[in-house]
Amino acid sequence: MIHPEVENPLREEMRMERKAPPCVVVIFGASGDLNKRKLTPALYSLYQQHLLSNGFAMVGFSRTKMDHQAFRDLMTETTKEFGEGGIGDPSVWESFSQTLFYISGDPNNPEAYQQLSDLLNNLDREHGTAGNRVFYLSTPPELYTPIIKQLGAAKLNQAVSPESWVRIIIEKPFGYDLPSALRLNGDVGVVFNEEQVYRIDHYLGKETVQNILAFRFANGIFEPIWNHNFIDHVQITAAEAVGAGDRVGYYEAAGALRDMIQNHLLQVFSLVAMEPPVSLDANAIRDEKQKVMMAVYPFGYDEVSRFAVRGQYGAGTSNGKAVAGFREEIKAFNEKSKGHKYNEESNTETYAMVRLMVNNWRWAGVPFFIRSGKRMPKRVSEVAIQFKRVPHLLFRQTKADRIEPNTLVIRIQPDEGITLKFGAKMPGQAMHIREVNMDFQYGEQFGRHSPEAYERLLLDCMLGDPTLFARRDMVEKGWELLTPVLDVWRDEPANFPNYEAGSWGPAEADTFISHGAAHRRWRKP
Ligand code: BG6
């Protein structure tokens, strides 16, 4: 719930000077799902909060034939459905919708870019967008390079005046593997300077992910114990209750490792494991993230089974309802599809887990277990820092294994917050110890909802702040580290399905984590 301003003195402070300068945001793939569900609602939310300039405009670019008004009507319908609180006050939406424009064109056709260029010049003159431009690639990835080349050919990569700027946001997936990511970075680099390129990873826009930095570096008490002397291991989880759903096609080609770990969870990992940056400057932070990525032990092809586990859900139960397995979903999809058919014996993983070892002084010997899966018991993303057990147990009446080691849980979503788990004496004559929680909840504490990740990231890009975007070197390093897993999993048959929908993943993941360390178990968040 958004509290009224009067009740929340923090609100003004939070706004600070973070208001976008005049600019136009051009969304390629404007008739697609991401724009409907996330981008336009995020821009509208910024507008409602008065965080966009009066000189703001958005241009949708897609193949679908529509004029400006039809596009505005479409966005009205979709924002009603997907915007937080729908469109709210219709008069506010009405004035926002006047900032929306549309060009229907083939992304491979130079004429469409001439039309776009004319429209942008027009908007500069009539809507005060000041020549500042954000191009947002929200199309299927095979169109990224053609669009980038066309933008270059139409000189739309160049600022129109010394004061104006041009930036490009590139959605995930950023490549399919290392060679394709290198190629894409190469293609982008021919047309845009790295400072103009914003590779978006919406996990970095989540308030709780950003809070990892604040938590670590704005508090004196955690950093001294943030190392191998005190931490046994770290678990990073992104579980989802949903299955592949209507994205079977995309997902069958991608799989959990590409879809969630290579990007979102490696970003989270790097924030948890990095050294303190010398400043909050974008490159100072990104340098440290890259440094820790470079310290990760690069396991080889013959070591994959000691570093990674995969799974695929079979039929099971989700939220009390019987649900199909992944392969059945593919079958059902194929039966309906008139076009491409997907492999009904798919070897694609819907669950992936990797163990990263960081070879530096801070983390020597501390495994980072990172997992993500679809059709798990619930939707939950968290980082759990598992501290070491006490060195000596004083409480004889309590069995040693009944005293859980301390855990610090950073809950990314839902129920955003932080919990510290520790042992406390139960009331009574005997000395019985039980685990209790010290809890911080975002919603309760700040009485304000966290902005949607896309709001934050769009605003950052308009402001020219790349801190929360992935830099070229980190994207490439992520692919490089995971290449052996991707290749081995592609080439070796799997014993799928190996977990029931609605469970916490394959049994192999449980034995994996406790291998050689019987006390280690996956948390059930
Ligand atoms: C996307 C993945 O990047 O992230 C999806 O492609 C996944 O498969 C989604 O469902 C999860 O995002 P969130 O914000 O719901 O955790």
Side-chain angles (χ1 to χ4, degrees):
M1 188 186 131
I2 303 179
H3 285 209
E5 212 147 303
V6 280
E7 282 177 33
N8 192 345
L10 277 178
R11 191 176 168 127
E12 272 312 304
E13 196 183 312
M14 284 167 178
R15 274 187 190 158
M16 300 211 274
E17 286 307 302
R18 294 184 49 82
K19 185 168 170 157
C23 65
V24 54
V25 176
V26 181
I27 297 181
F28 289 93
S31 58
D33 236 32
L34 184 73
N35 182 39
K36 291 176 184 164
R37 286 173 187 269
K38 299 286 185 189
L39 305 182
T40 293
L43 289 169
Y44 181 47
S45 174
L46 292 172
Y47 183 82
Q48 287 172 304
Q49 297 167 70
H50 309 288
L51 296 179
L52 296 181
S53 151
N54 291 336
F56 169 82
M58 189 263 252
V59 175
F61 185 117
S62 282
R63 282 206 173 96
T64 316
K65 293 250 175 307
M66 267 185 279
D67 59 14
H68 298 317
Q69 192 49 47
F71 181 60
R72 289 172 189 165
D73 294 345
L74 175 66
M75 291 300 107
T76 308
E77 288 319 303
T78 53
T79 309
K80 271 185 188 160
E81 188 177 349
F82 300 117
E84 199 188 329
I87 57 168
D89 181 344
S91 64
V92 177
W93 171 263
E94 182 50 34
S95 61
F96 174 73
S97 77
Q98 296 310 307
T99 68
L100 307 182
F101 299 85
Y102 185 77
I103 286 192
S104 101
D106 175 350
N108 288 303
N109 180 357
E111 270 171 36
Y113 294 81
Q114 198 43 58
Q115 225 184 315
L116 175 62
S117 180
D118 293 345
L119 175 61
L120 294 180
N121 291 334
N122 222 347
L123 291 172
D124 286 343
R125 280 193 304 272
E126 287 170 17
H127 283 259
T129 44
N132 296 329
R133 287 142 194 200
V134 175
F135 296 109
Y136 196 124
L137 302 191
S138 161
T139 61
E142 53 279 13
L143 289 175
Y144 292 172
T145 292
I147 294 174
I148 288 162
K149 286 189 172 155
Q150 294 288 351
L151 287 172
K155 299 208 170 14
L156 284 167
N157 57 333
Q158 296 172 13
V160 293
S161 72
E163 301 78 40
S164 61
W165 45 259
V166 177
R167 300 182 184 128
I168 183 162
I169 302 182
I170 305 177
E171 251 304 326
K172 70 167 279 235
F174 199 92
Y176 180 76
D177 52 14
L178 181 60
S180 55
L182 288 169
R183 256 196 322 274
L184 180 54
N185 272 331
D187 293 342
V188 178
V190 170
V191 178
F192 293 96
N193 301 323
E194 179 63 20
E195 297 74 55
Q196 295 178 283
V197 184
Y198 289 67
R199 295 172 195 80
I200 201 161
D201 186 308
H202 80 279
Y203 260 61
L204 288 175
K206 290 183 192 280
E207 199 75 43
T208 34
V209 171
Q210 294 163 49
N211 192 40
I212 295 172
L213 281 184
F215 181 79
R216 288 191 56 195
F217 304 126
N219 295 294
I221 63 170
F222 298 107
E223 208 43 33
I225 55 171
W226 209 259
N227 58 52
H228 69 101
N229 291 319
F230 298 92
I231 293 177
D232 180 82
H233 71 280
V234 178
Q235 299 184 11
I236 301 178
T237 299
E240 294 181 277
V242 293
D246 49 13
R247 293 166 76 222
V248 158
Y250 154 77
Y251 200 79
E252 207 278 325
L257 193 68
R258 282 191 179 85
D259 188 46
M260 292 294 292
I261 295 187
Q262 187 277 334
N263 36 59
H264 306 322
L265 297 190
L266 284 185
Q267 289 290 344
V268 173
F269 154 77
S270 66
L271 291 172
V272 173
M274 71 191 233
E275 295 300 313
V278 290
S279 74
L280 281 184
D281 173 70
N283 272 332
I285 292 180
R286 299 195 298 177
D287 286 348
E288 293 305 333
K289 287 168 64 180
Q290 179 64 359
K291 255 166 65 187
V292 78
M293 290 290 290
M294 286 165 68
V296 173
Y297 172 70
F299 45 85
Y301 281 75
D302 53 341
E303 295 175 300
V304 166
S305 65
R306 295 201 296 113
F307 284 88
V309 173
R310 58 178 159 165
Q312 187 193 81
Y313 58 86
T317 314
S318 178
N319 290 327
K321 276 202 292 196
V323 291
F326 183 58
R327 289 179 178 176
E328 285 92 67
E329 286 179 331
I330 296 178
K331 214 176 240 168
F333 179 93
N334 284 349
E335 276 160 19
K336 278 193 267 160
S337 158
K338 295 194 182 74
H340 189 78
K341 309 255 189 242
Y342 294 90
N343 180 6
E344 296 181 7
E345 292 301 306
S346 172
N347 245 351
T348 298
E349 81 286 355
T350 59
Y351 172 100
M353 190 229 95
V354 291
R355 171 170 66 106
L356 300 186
M357 300 300 298
V358 183
N359 288 338
N360 64 15
W361 274 47
R362 184 188 286 270
W363 294 117
V366 180
F368 284 75
F369 297 101
I370 303 179
R371 64 176 169 169
S372 180
K374 301 254 185 223
R375 281 280 185 243
M376 315 233 79
K378 57 177 170 178
R379 174 174 183 256
V380 59
S381 296
E382 62 162 44
V383 176
I385 312 288
Q386 192 78 60
F387 289 94
K388 290 191 168 164
R389 285 173 183 274
V390 289
H392 170 68
L393 206 65
L394 287 173
F395 310 102
R396 290 178 197 281
Q397 302 94 321
T398 310
K399 283 196 196 143
D401 62 1
R402 296 250 316 271
I403 298 194
E404 292 297 326
N406 299 125
T407 310
L408 180 81
V409 184
I410 302 174
R411 295 190 305 278
I412 295 173
Q413 65 188 25
D415 188 22
E416 292 85 350
I418 295 177
T419 300
L420 180 63
K421 293 177 174 291
F422 60 97
K425 179 185 172 305
M426 281 170 73
Q429 304 306 332
M431 179 60 96
H432 286 311
I433 311 285
R434 213 183 72 188
E435 190 178 72
V436 294
N437 290 345
M438 215 151 82
D439 221 6
F440 149 68
Q441 286 191 318
Y442 257 84
E444 246 176 43
Q445 197 69 35
F446 296 114
R448 176 185 197 267
H449 84 133
S450 302
E452 262 284 313
Y454 279 99
E455 286 177 34
R456 167 70 198 242
L457 296 172
L458 280 162
L459 185 57
D460 278 4
C461 176
M462 293 186 241
L463 286 164
D465 180 356
T467 313
L468 300 177
F469 292 82
R471 206 168 60 183
R472 173 178 188 155
D473 48 359
M474 175 145 177
V475 171
E476 291 173 3
K477 192 73 202 170
W479 282 119
E480 189 185 311
L481 281 174
L482 298 178
T483 294
V485 191
L486 291 168
D487 288 356
V488 168
W489 286 1
R490 180 196 58 214
D491 295 340
E492 288 182 3
N495 60 337
F496 289 163
N498 62 350
Y499 72 97
E500 241 179 61
S503 72
W504 281 107
E508 204 189 331
D510 297 332
T511 41
F512 184 97
I513 195 171
S514 57
H515 184 76
H519 63 284
R520 287 184 188 147
R521 280 184 299 273
W522 282 111
R523 275 174 43 75
K524 295 201 175 8

